[in-house]
Amino acid sequence: MQKLNELYRGKAKTVFTTENPEYLILQFRDDTSAFDGERIEQLARKGMVNNKFNYFIMEKLAAAGIPTQMEKLLSDNECLVKKLAMIPVECVVRNLAAGSLVRRLGVEEGLELNPPTFELFLKNDALHDPMVNESHAIAFGWATAEQLAEMKRLTLAVNNVLKPLFAAGGMLLVDYKLEFGVFNGEIVLGDEFSPDGCRLWDIATRTKLDKDRFRQGLGGVVEAYEEVGKRLGMQFD
Ligand code: TMP
Ligand code: ASP
């Protein structure tokens, strides 16, 4: 399927229409952003690595019964997906404390969270993705109570698939963010799952293998993403 028109340009991906109104093409760029788009840099190979990474993870999730928008890998930087009506609320699950939870509650990074926490954030860079709750989402019409319940169920189900997958590669899935949309009335996982939107630490050394390397200026960002992929059995060349 061919790209038709640019529909939307995000911080790291561009979305194109296709001849079929039910399908879109996601193009993964090398742009890497942090702090709600305040810092953007080009990191060579990142688009290709995240596109293949995302495809691999989405296939694992689909095999475990999670509905995803993924249709097929088209090229190094592109995949074909179902067109969803996206819900502007980000779902975050945390197995260990890090990032904004540490800043907000003053707990120690790495504190184990059992059971895992579930949080919602409004997708809005200008407002710095503020934390919201279900009543906000319902009152402002971002999602219905039923849709939110399904988003929570699926986000926690993803943890049961991915925590053991990363553990088998010697990694801790610290936290992750998912975005959902609606396709034919059904809640479906959209956007991407890559080290841009989750935290992964080496189990033994707790070395950071995710976008915190970029946020914290640690270097070796794409190298770390590739290492994660290789530990899971992905091939990038
Ligand atoms: P946080 O600690 O900044 O709240 O982020 C939790 C996890 O969700 C972390 O892996 C990063 C991811 N995330 C995004 O990728 N984009 C976002 O806009 C938000 C709010 C979180
Ligand atoms: N929301 C992503 C992050 O936390 C990207 C961005 O903020 O620009 O890094």
Side-chain angles (χ1 to χ4, degrees), residues 66-132:
I66 311 275
T68 84
Q69 72 175 161
M70 182 59 69
E71 286 294 316
K72 63 176 176 181
L73 205 55
L74 293 177
S75 69
D76 272 3
N77 288 73
E78 295 162 325
C79 63
L80 184 71
V81 298
K82 292 188 200 74
K83 179 176 182 166
L84 310 183
M86 294 303 292
I87 292 173
V89 173
E90 304 182 333
C91 297
V92 171
V93 160
R94 302 178 196 267
N95 294 306
L96 299 168
S100 72
L101 185 75
V102 167
R103 289 196 297 276
R104 218 178 319 120
L105 300 184
V107 295
E108 200 181 330
E109 185 180 70
L111 178 76
E112 200 176 324
L113 302 167
N114 191 11
T117 61
F118 176 78
E119 299 165 346
L120 300 175
F121 295 87
L122 176 63
K123 193 174 166 71
N124 186 318
D125 280 337
L127 297 178
H128 301 290
D129 291 349
M131 193 177 190
V132 293

Side-chain angles (χ1 to χ4, degrees), residues 11 33-37 129 211 215:
K11 285 176 288 183
S33 95
F35 314 117
D36 305 312
D129 291 349
K211 197 156 85 172
R215 297 189 188 98

Side-chain angles (χ1 to χ4, degrees), residues 96 166-167 170-175 199-203 206:
L96 299 168
F166 286 110
M171 292 169 281
L172 291 166
L173 177 58
V174 174
D175 58 32
R199 290 191 172 93
L200 296 162
W201 296 348
D202 180 80
I203 286 181
R206 300 219 159 185

Side-chain angles (χ1 to χ4, degrees), residues 32 43 46 196 209-211 213-214 218-226:
T32 312
L43 298 181
K46 201 203 63 152
D196 267 2
L209 299 169
D210 55 72
K211 197 156 85 172
R213 298 201 70 81
F214 179 71
L218 300 174
V221 179
V222 180
E223 291 80 357
Y225 290 19
E226 281 192 81

